[in-house]
């Protein structure tokens, strides 16, 4: 789904995409106006130079009149200062617009990512999202901000030049006017051709890279099949295609610049030829002729600039589409309009209407699949009373995580329903549920800030005292007091300064702080050494008391005290009961328990010996 070539160029302009981008750029209206003003001023100053030269030639050199010489010098100094001012101004403003645009693109994309459902992140590689947030946002804002400078400058430069020429002497001005459309047509034609050739070259290039990779990774296989020659021939053909495509593109680029130059100089020559006649007839001065010639030469730059902007924007179109796509992707799971009306949305809460959650949970005929026709759960039923602790047990792939993800409404049942306190959870908002439900992940994510702030993520308005109280409950306090800065210690990126067990405990403390009515621990205790296990086990018991809980655990020791143990296989309930009842049954749970029990005893023996 997401494998478009990063550099792909699109010729069709998508209005919707650019509308969105423009709305984002226009948020910095003040800076846009300033940027346009600075660029316009620059174009005006540029246009002044040949006028200055004409004056110098006619007054000082031809007439030999040096009376105004000092003023001329001052005017030139002012002109230089004006240039400096404009350059400072537009670099400043373009920089601000660039930064604000990429900030806004990222902010909106990030905000939307918060709304998107789990299923989106299943389907979309993290790297793809990262590329949109970083390189696309950067590329786009860069092209936009500097594109505005170039565009305003180039457009106005041409207009100013034409105005001055027509005002001064129409007959010569016509020459430029005739060359102008020819130049434009040539520019358009070549840009299109060059883009196409670059595209072909890129295609061959990525093909070549793929063959490289395959050649290296499959080297052994190639040898054992003895197909080296076939491989080499294929590689050589692609390499040749790449070479000829690249050469073509280079030739076109070279031709483009030189043809434009030739056209510009044809115009210059014509101007000189016709102009000298007018000078001899004393219809115009030498200075005016010189001025005309400079203007014709100066005409060349803006045309190049405009054709460059157009191709830049064609290049950026793919980036724009992808990032706007990210900003505008709709989450798959949304609350109905009625629910939104009553409970609010993620960003606007109507908390007054939020009911408390008691904690009764019922899966009623729930059928669920990730991919069509591959049911993970079929008419699944499970009823849990408020305050009960439920353990889900079963082999990898038996559906434990799926069940708790459904309960968390990260996914919704395809048919049937999940009732919370007797009401289908779709009749209340996702946010309502998430505020009252705690989920401790297998590998908890810590943010790169202090221990204190990390725990506070459980409930953002908690005081320091409350954070420390929660930490004491689950034994975080014990290890935190040994850190040199205590709760103010930075945990590093993703918490990499801490052990897995410590991260786990921190996420437990978060859960205590959040005080959810329903708590989910999905294999939260799987990757912990036996020393921390005891600490975690005590913490878990504290955590579970007084709320409905679902625990998924490899270690049966963590679940023997559960009120209800549900043994799953292929999404179906095999056995159900408490620890004693299931042991007496001597069924699957009994086997599992016996196996693990022996394994652990074996390990203990190994450790002793
Ligand atoms: N995001 C997903 N997309 C597609 N299939 C999935 C996804 N997550 C899990 N599955 C499949 O659903 C089944 C149940 O998985 P899961 O609920 O993770 O089991 P458990 O947690 O018991 O190991 C497995 O067959 C697994 O391959
Ligand atoms: Mg799982």
């Amino acid at each position: 789904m997401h494998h478009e070539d990063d550099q792909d160029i699109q010729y069709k302009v998508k209005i919707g995409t650019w509308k969105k981008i423009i709305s984002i750029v226009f948020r910095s209206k003040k800076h846009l106006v300033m940027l346009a003003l600075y660029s316009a001023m620059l174009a005006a100053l540029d246009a002044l130079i040949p006028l200055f030269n004409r004056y110098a030639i006619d007054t000082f050199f031809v007439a030999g009149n040096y009376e105004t010489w000092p003023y001329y010098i001052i005017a030139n100094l002012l002109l230089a200062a004006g240039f400096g001012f404009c350059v400072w101004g537009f670099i400043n403003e373009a920089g601000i617009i660039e930064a604000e645009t990429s900030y806004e693109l990222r902010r909106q994309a990030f905000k939307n990512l918060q709304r998107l459902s789990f299923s989106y992140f299943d389907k979309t590689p993290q790297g793809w999202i990262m590329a949109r947030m970083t390189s696309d946002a950067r590329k786009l804002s860069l092209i936009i901000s500097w594109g505005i400078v170039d565009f305003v400058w180039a457009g106005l430069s041409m207009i100013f030049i034409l105005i001055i020429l027509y005002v001064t002497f129409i007959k010569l001005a016509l020459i430029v006017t005739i060359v102008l459309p020819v130049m434009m047509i040539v520019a358009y034609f070549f840009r299109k051709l060059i883009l196409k050739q670059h595209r072909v070259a890129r295609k061959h290039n990525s093909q070549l890279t793929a063959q490289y990779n395959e050649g290296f990774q499959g080297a052994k296989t190639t040898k054992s099949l003895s197909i080296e020659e076939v491989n080499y021939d294929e590689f050589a053909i692609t390499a040749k295609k790449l070479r000829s495509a690249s050469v073509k593109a280079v030739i076109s680029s070279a031709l483009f610049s030189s043809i434009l130059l030739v056209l510009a100089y044809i115009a210059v020559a014509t101007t000189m030829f016709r102009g000298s006649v007018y000078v001899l007839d004393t219809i115009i001065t030498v200075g005016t002729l010189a001025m005309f010639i400079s203007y014709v030469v100066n005409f060349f730059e803006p045309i190049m600039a405009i054709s460059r902007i157009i191709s830049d924007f064609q290049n950026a179109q793919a980036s724009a589409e992808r990032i706007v796509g990210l900003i505008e992707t709709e989450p798959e799971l949304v609350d109905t309009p009625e629910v939104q009306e009553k409970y609010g949305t993620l960003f606007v809460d109507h908390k007054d209407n939020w009911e408390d959650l008691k904690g009764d949970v019922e899966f009623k005929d729930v059928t669920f699949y990730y991919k069509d026709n591959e049911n993970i759960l079929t008419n699944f039923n499970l009823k849990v009373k408020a305050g009960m602790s439920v353990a889900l047990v079963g082999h990898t792939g038996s559906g434990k995580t799926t069940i708790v993800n459904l309960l968390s409404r990260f996914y919704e049942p395809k048919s049937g329903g999940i009732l919370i306190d007797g009401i289908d959870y779709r009749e209340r908002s996702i946010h309502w549920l998430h505020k009252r439900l705690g989920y401790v992940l297998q590998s908890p994510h810590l943010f790169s800030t202090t221990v204190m702030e990390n725990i506070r993520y459980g409930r953002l308005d908690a005081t320091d005292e409350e954070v420390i109280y929660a930490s004491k409950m689950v034994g975080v306090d014990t290890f935190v007091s040994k850190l040199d800065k205590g709760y103010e210690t930075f945990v590093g990126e993703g918490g990499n300064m801490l052990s897995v067990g410590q991260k786990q405990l921190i996420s437990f403390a978060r859960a205590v702080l959040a005080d959810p009515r329903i708590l989910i621990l999905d294999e939260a205790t799987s990757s912990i050494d036996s020393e921390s296990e005891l600490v975690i086990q005590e913490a878990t018991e504290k955590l579970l008391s007084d709320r409905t809980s679902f625990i998924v655990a490899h270690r049966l020791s963590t679940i023997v005290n559960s009120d209800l143990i549900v043994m799953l296989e292929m999404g179906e309930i095999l056995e159900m009961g408490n620890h004693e009842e299931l042991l007496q049954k001597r069924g699957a749970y009994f086997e599992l328990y016996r196996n693990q029990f022996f394994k652990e005893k074996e390990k203990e023996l190994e450790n002793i010996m």
Side-chain angles (χ1 to χ4, degrees):
M1 183 166 125
H2 295 299
H3 40 62
E4 316 100 294
D5 181 3
D6 244 34
Q7 318 273 325
D8 232 11
I9 296 149
Q10 282 154 32
Y11 297 103
K12 248 200 240 130
V13 175
K14 298 238 169 94
I15 304 292
T17 302
W18 289 108
K19 246 192 198 156
K20 180 78 198 170
I21 299 282
I22 287 169
S23 81
I24 286 172
V25 177
F26 266 76
R27 292 175 67 98
S28 6
K29 225 176 267 146
K30 204 185 96 204
H31 296 289
L32 273 177
V33 172
M34 290 307 291
L35 183 64
L37 277 180
Y38 283 119
S39 309
M41 234 183 321
L42 190 71
L45 293 180
D46 266 342
L48 278 181
I49 292 179
L51 275 175
F52 271 51
N53 291 343
R54 175 175 77 161
Y55 182 81
I57 293 172
D58 286 344
T59 317
F60 307 134
F61 305 131
V62 177
N65 176 1
Y66 286 93
E67 245 170 64
T68 52
W69 182 244
Y71 302 109
Y72 180 74
I73 290 182
I74 291 171
N76 264 300
L77 287 176
L78 285 178
L79 193 65
F83 269 116
F85 178 68
C86 287
V87 170
W88 169 82
F90 79 67
I91 288 179
N92 224 359
E93 299 298 335
I96 291 172
I97 289 174
E98 186 192 332
E100 286 195 348
T101 303
S102 75
Y103 162 79
E104 191 57 27
L105 287 169
R106 286 175 184 152
R107 191 186 68 79
Q108 292 200 11
F110 190 79
K111 186 170 172 186
N112 199 44
L113 282 173
Q114 312 296 308
R115 295 166 62 223
L116 293 177
S117 323
F118 251 50
S119 52
Y120 179 80
F121 296 98
D122 282 346
K123 279 182 273 186
T124 318
Q126 199 181 345
W128 188 87
I129 298 175
M130 284 305 289
R132 304 301 66 88
M133 300 282 281
T134 55
S135 73
D136 276 344
R138 186 170 352 106
K139 199 160 138 189
L140 205 56
S141 45
L142 191 81
I143 287 176
I144 287 172
S145 52
W146 294 98
I148 293 171
V149 176
D150 277 355
F151 190 77
V152 173
W153 170 80
L156 286 180
S157 284
M158 293 201 287
I159 291 171
F160 288 157
I161 291 176
L162 283 177
I163 289 175
I164 295 173
L165 293 186
Y166 273 94
V167 168
T168 325
F169 191 51
I170 293 182
K171 281 184 184 159
L172 276 184
L174 282 174
I175 296 173
V176 181
T177 324
I178 291 165
V179 179
L180 181 65
V182 180
M183 277 180 156
M184 297 247 203
I185 289 166
V186 169
Y188 176 78
F189 169 78
F190 269 100
R191 280 292 179 197
K192 210 167 169 174
L193 184 71
I194 293 168
L195 275 176
K196 240 183 218 159
Q197 287 168 336
H198 274 303
R199 193 188 211 183
V200 172
R202 256 198 306 272
K203 212 155 90 202
H204 289 311
N205 190 31
S206 52
Q207 213 173 347
L208 198 68
T209 317
Q211 284 181 359
Y212 253 137
N213 276 338
E214 217 163 78
F216 293 144
Q217 283 163 5
K220 273 192 188 155
T221 320
T222 309
K223 297 260 172 241
S224 59
L225 296 174
S226 53
I227 49 172
E228 293 96 333
E229 210 175 291
V230 182
N231 273 3
Y232 175 73
D233 288 346
E234 275 176 14
F235 184 82
I237 291 170
T238 316
K240 253 186 209 150
K241 277 187 194 154
L242 173 61
R243 186 186 60 185
S244 83
S246 306
V247 168
K248 265 188 205 155
V250 170
I251 292 178
S252 307
S253 295
L255 267 180
F256 172 46
S257 308
S258 39
I259 290 182
L260 272 195
L261 258 178
V262 167
L263 281 173
Y265 281 98
I266 288 176
V268 170
T270 317
T271 310
M272 275 190 194
F273 180 70
R274 298 289 311 147
S276 52
V277 177
Y278 294 127
V279 173
L280 290 178
D281 290 350
T282 63
I283 297 175
I284 56 170
T285 63
V286 178
T288 305
L289 179 60
M291 181 188 84
F292 262 89
I293 292 168
S294 328
Y295 280 133
V296 175
V297 174
N298 284 357
F299 226 78
F300 179 67
E301 253 306 294
I303 289 181
M304 288 288 275
I306 284 184
S307 77
R308 192 175 55 235
I309 297 166
I310 291 172
S311 78
D312 276 353
F313 271 84
Q314 278 174 333
N315 259 316
Q317 168 119 343
S319 292
E321 255 166 49
R322 283 185 303 238
I323 196 155
V324 169
L326 191 58
I327 289 172
E328 292 184 338
T329 306
E330 282 299 321
E332 271 176 43
L333 300 188
V334 282
D335 292 319
T336 59
E338 298 85 62
V339 169
Q340 285 189 18
E341 173 84 19
K342 183 172 173 199
Y343 292 86
T345 62
L346 195 51
F347 300 109
V348 208
D349 281 329
H350 297 167
K351 286 224 168 84
D352 302 340
N353 297 333
W354 286 18
E355 296 95 351
D356 285 334
L357 197 160
K358 236 176 79 213
D360 291 329
V361 170
E362 184 179 356
F363 285 74
K364 208 168 176 185
D365 289 323
V366 171
T367 296
F368 179 77
Y369 47 83
Y370 295 98
K371 295 181 201 106
D372 286 348
N373 302 321
E374 288 178 30
N375 278 11
I376 307 292
L377 301 176
T378 312
N379 295 325
F380 182 85
N381 284 291
L382 180 68
K383 205 167 170 175
V384 175
K385 279 236 161 350
M388 265 171 87
S389 59
V390 182
L392 300 176
V393 189
H395 295 290
T396 306
S398 56
K400 304 178 297 282
T401 302
T402 305
I403 289 172
V404 292
N405 280 347
L406 279 166
L407 173 58
S408 313
R409 213 174 155 193
F410 293 145
Y411 299 92
E412 285 176 356
K414 301 291 178 181
S415 73
I418 294 173
L419 315 187
I420 289 177
D421 297 344
I423 299 174
D424 191 309
Y425 66 6
R426 281 172 289 206
E427 286 173 30
R428 294 190 271 214
S429 77
I430 297 175
H431 199 34
W432 170 82
L433 178 64
H434 286 178
K435 275 280 179 195
R436 282 154 174 65
L437 177 139
Y439 197 133
V440 177
L441 294 166
Q442 191 164 2
S443 45
H445 182 81
L446 297 197
F447 299 95
S448 51
T449 170
T450 60
V451 174
M452 181 75 91
E453 292 314 313
N454 261 297
I455 297 174
R456 215 195 304 271
Y457 274 106
R459 183 159 55 83
L460 294 174
D461 60 3
T463 62
D464 287 4
E465 287 70 37
E466 286 171 317
V467 170
I468 293 169
Y469 177 77
S471 308
K472 283 192 173 141
M473 286 270 291
V474 293
V476 169
D477 199 59
T478 325
F479 83 81
V480 169
S481 56
K482 284 183 202 135
L483 301 172
D484 37 316
K485 283 192 186 151
Y487 284 95
E488 296 308 316
T489 310
F490 270 83
V491 300
E493 198 182 328
N496 58 16
M497 316 279 272
L498 302 177
S499 75
V500 179
Q502 290 169 334
K503 284 199 249 183
Q504 206 66 259
L505 284 176
I506 286 184
S507 68
F508 277 28
R510 268 184 199 160
V512 169
L513 199 60
D515 195 23
R517 300 317 310 146
I518 300 176
L519 182 73
I520 293 166
L521 303 177
D522 190 356
E523 314 217 32
T525 53
S526 60
S527 43
I528 286 174
D529 53 275
S530 37
E531 203 173 311
S532 329
E533 190 183 348
L534 216 74
V535 181
I536 297 259
Q537 203 165 329
E538 275 172 29
T540 312
E541 254 150 52
K542 294 237 176 66
L543 206 54
L544 299 190
S545 66
D546 208 28
R547 52 186 119 242
T548 313
S549 61
F550 285 77
I551 319 174
V552 178
H554 277 317
R555 286 172 203 257
L556 299 184
S557 59
T558 28
I559 59 170
V560 288
N561 295 324
S562 300
D563 300 322
L564 180 68
I565 298 171
V566 179
M567 181 88 194
L568 292 162
E569 194 176 279
M570 309 267 292
E572 285 184 26
I573 297 176
L574 210 60
E575 291 174 3
M576 198 158 71
N578 67 27
H579 183 65
E580 269 70 43
E581 287 165 358
L582 288 182
L583 283 188
Q584 272 164 20
K585 250 192 187 163
R586 312 225 146 215
Y589 180 78
F590 175 77
E591 283 300 317
L592 195 73
Y593 187 72
R594 206 173 56 170
N595 280 344
Q596 209 173 79
F597 187 76
F598 281 131
K599 254 188 218 147
E600 269 167 29
K601 286 290 159 215
E602 250 171 49
K603 239 197 222 152
E604 274 173 33
L605 278 177
E606 270 169 28
N607 287 343
I608 294 167
M609 289 156 73

